[in-house]
Amino acid sequence: MSEASAIAFYDRLVAAADPARDPFDVHILAAILAVALVDGEGLAAGAGLDHADLARLAEAVFPAAADEIAARGGPAHQRDAEEASVRDVLLVFMSGDPVISRPLAAMVARRCKAPRHLWQDLGLNARSELKSLMTRHFAGFAARNRGDMKWKKFIYRTVCGAEGIPLCPAPTCAECDEVEVCFGDEDGASRLARLAAGAGTAQSRAI
């Protein structure tokens, strides 16, 4: 999917949203779906949802775009054990509207497997938006991140701890030589912002 098409898809989803839905929830869901398409797998695989869950989310949040979402569903998603573990841990702490929080748990789990900072691979504008997402939809989980650890690190540390797998050999973070890896800045541009900039560059070259 081209950069311009991804941005246009995000805009169409926002415009097609149920006006009764919270604008922040509309934004985060539209952003995740837009970057899922950019990764070239189709919405189901890219967002971590099966076709039925994708359809329910579309009808609940983006009813005027439900047909387009279904058409862009792509191949069925195959969730592996790692992804299922992340989703299940988030579901334990689900605190928002289940219509949104439940699929979000699967979407966050899927995007955790992408290579960038988690907020970037969710298509969000900044790390602060990811904190707002976690606080709103997985409040108990967010409250446990007292040290403001990077979210992907914190998620996997929690999952591994729940399954009895040691993720870090250091007894405490204060005694670890890689504190920056877990707690350092998460700078960078939003993926949607980069896509928009790329689309603008492509258009300017074409003129």
Side-chain angles (χ1 to χ4, degrees):
M1 188 180 205
S2 72
E3 292 92 343
S5 297
I7 296 299
F9 181 61
Y10 169 87
D11 290 340
R12 285 198 301 276
L13 290 182
V14 171
D18 180 343
R21 291 292 172 185
D22 182 89
F24 179 72
D25 287 340
V26 169
H27 159 63
I28 60 177
L29 292 169
I32 296 170
L33 293 174
V35 295
L37 271 188
V38 171
D39 288 346
E41 301 176 285
L43 286 178
L49 300 175
D50 63 33
H51 290 122
D53 286 337
L54 183 62
R56 280 191 289 269
L57 182 66
E59 290 292 344
V61 183
F62 306 109
D67 289 343
E68 180 178 6
I69 289 172
R72 293 183 179 276
H77 179 55
Q78 303 297 321
R79 184 178 293 115
D80 62 19
E82 172 192 322
E83 193 177 327
S85 294
V86 173
R87 179 204 58 185
D88 291 347
V89 164
L90 291 176
L91 286 175
V92 168
F93 295 97
M94 188 173 67
S95 58
D97 178 355
V99 171
I100 294 176
S101 298
R102 188 172 296 280
L104 259 181
M107 296 166 94
V108 170
R110 171 64 187 89
R111 302 312 298 170
C112 272
K113 298 178 71 176
R116 303 167 189 83
H117 296 311
L118 180 56
W119 69 267
Q120 291 175 316
D121 281 315
L122 290 168
L124 304 181
N125 292 320
R127 185 179 187 269
S128 59
E129 289 192 342
L130 176 53
K131 185 174 183 178
S132 295
L133 181 163
M134 300 301 289
T135 301
R136 174 179 295 202
H137 292 283
F138 311 103
F141 187 78
R144 292 186 171 208
N145 190 5
R146 298 181 185 89
D148 201 27
M149 182 180 285
K150 293 178 182 179
W151 283 105
K152 191 184 292 188
K153 288 283 185 183
F154 182 70
I155 288 170
Y156 279 112
R157 183 173 183 172
T158 302
V159 169
C160 290
E163 297 185 358
I165 303 169
L167 185 64
C168 179
T172 68
C173 291
E175 298 177 45
C176 181
D177 293 330
E178 297 188 343
V179 171
E180 185 70 17
V181 174
C182 292
F183 294 95
D185 291 336
E186 292 187 77
D187 296 330
S190 158
R191 286 192 68 188
L192 288 180
R194 288 206 304 267
L195 289 171
T201 301
Q203 289 165 1
S204 66
R205 288 174 180 170
I207 292 173

